[in-house]
Amino acid sequence: MKNLFLLPLAFASTFSFANSQAYLITEFQVINNLVTFKTQPQKATNTPSCVDANNKDSWAISLNDHGSNNLYSLLLGAFDSQTPVYLTSTEQCIAESGIEKLAAVSVN
């Protein structure tokens, strides 16, 4: 019975990535605890209003956030191997950076 409650969550999670754009990471930079990277093609989603115009093709994670080391490892591996990734936004920016904050990464 418990599994029946998890089934809609699994479908919703799969569906959200199924409709996502695959991106290649073209640039990767780490400064202090801020990881920034650029992707191609242009983002298929709307960017939050806090994103600066020159950062529309950029994403960021803070290594101070819980779970960010896992995202960092996955992103670095995808960049190194040029593996397409599916990205999910938090719909927020990293404080004072004007760069969209990454929530999740998926690799097929």
Side-chain angles (χ1 to χ4, degrees), residues 5 12 20 26 34 37 39 41 44 52 54 67 72 75 86 88 98 100 104:
F5 291 114
S20 297
T26 58
L34 183 65
F37 61 99
T39 58
D52 290 340
N54 57 343
Y72 172 73
L75 291 168
Y86 297 88
T88 304
E100 191 167 2

Side-chain angles (χ1 to χ4, degrees), residues 29-87:
Q29 184 175 19
V30 181
I31 299 176
N32 296 323
N33 288 323
L34 183 65
V35 176
T36 60
F37 61 99
K38 293 186 177 192
T39 58
Q40 284 186 348
Q42 277 191 324
K43 293 179 186 176
T45 60
N46 294 331
T47 56
S49 60
C50 58
V51 174
D52 290 340
N54 57 343
N55 291 328
K56 292 213 180 268
D57 62 344
S58 298
W59 300 82
I61 59 171
S62 171
L63 294 177
N64 294 325
D65 292 346
H66 178 72
S68 62
N69 289 333
N70 297 331
L71 290 174
Y72 172 73
S73 296
L74 187 57
L75 291 168
L76 189 57
F79 174 68
D80 187 49
S81 65
Q82 284 298 282
T83 301
V85 293
Y86 297 88
L87 306 173

